Amino acid sequence: MIRIGHGYDVHRLVQGRKLILGGVQIPFEKGLLGHSDADVLTHAIMDSLLGALALGDIGKHFPDTDEKYKGIDSLKLLAYVCDLISKNGYGIGNIDSTIICQRPKLSSYIESMRENIAKVCNVDISKVSVKATTEESLGFTGEGLGISVHSVCTLVKF
Ligand code: ZN
């Protein structure tokens, strides 16, 4: 039995925040705005994992009105989601994500993001794909107003 999940997330780029993607802090003049650490990649991945089992979304599991999630490392939330997936009798088949970001250039950080996610999900790195693209200066990502991420995953029944 295979289940497929999709996740999508957007965060605004602002001054005075850290830029964290897949648990990697990336040097840049701006960072992502959000209640947690605003790790948009990890958020989209969690939504794809939850979506695959129709378990809702991260807004339901980790409401941004809850003070305990303020500034939280999103990888900790991912660990919770992976635990939930496994309690429901499923394991991760694979994850494939695309970060849409005009600047900064992300290629040198991709491997570290994959390592972080694979480690938290307790899967081989070969099961975790992270890609980055630009939108050719078009739209809100192209204008550098924010970063968006699409993620899909498969879950396989134990
Ligand atoms: Zn988010």
Side-chain angles (χ1 to χ4, degrees):
M1 257 270 274
I2 292 177
R3 307 274 300 209
I4 296 171
H6 169 259
Y8 175 69
D9 196 24
V10 175
H11 282 261
R12 188 183 288 271
L13 272 170
V14 295
Q15 304 278 356
R17 290 271 303 181
K18 289 175 183 166
L19 176 57
I20 296 169
L21 293 169
V24 180
Q25 193 178 320
I26 295 160
F28 191 51
E29 72 243 25
K30 290 181 175 179
L32 294 171
L33 183 64
H35 185 68
S36 65
D37 64 358
D39 184 340
V40 65
L41 171 62
T42 302
H43 291 185
I45 289 172
M46 288 192 282
D47 267 349
S48 69
L49 295 168
L50 291 167
L53 294 184
L55 292 172
D57 60 20
I58 55 172
K60 175 185 159 186
H61 290 271
F62 317 111
D64 65 7
T65 49
D66 193 330
E67 277 301 304
K68 78 177 165 201
Y69 301 124
K70 192 167 163 57
I72 198 169
D73 174 354
S74 293
L75 290 179
K76 288 184 180 158
L77 306 180
L78 177 61
Y80 170 89
V81 169
C82 288
D83 191 45
L84 190 63
I85 297 302
S86 132
K87 280 178 180 152
N88 277 271
Y90 281 81
I92 293 169
N94 71 304
I95 294 169
D96 184 20
S97 302
T98 303
I99 307 168
I100 301 162
C101 174
Q102 191 68 36
R103 281 180 59 241
K105 197 160 172 40
L106 299 176
S107 52
S108 53
Y109 305 103
I110 295 285
E111 282 307 298
S112 304
M113 294 179 204
R114 292 178 64 210
E115 280 168 15
N116 284 348
I117 293 156
K119 193 174 166 198
V120 171
C121 294
N122 200 22
V123 295
D124 192 82
I125 194 166
S126 65
K127 292 186 169 187
V128 179
S129 162
V130 175
K131 314 184 296 302
T133 187
T134 73
E135 284 186 310
E136 300 287 336
S137 300
L138 296 167
F140 73 83
T141 67
E143 289 172 21
L145 301 176
I147 295 176
S148 65
V149 176
H150 290 271
S151 180
V152 290
C153 72
T154 57
L155 300 183
V156 184
K157 203 162 177 61
F158 291 145

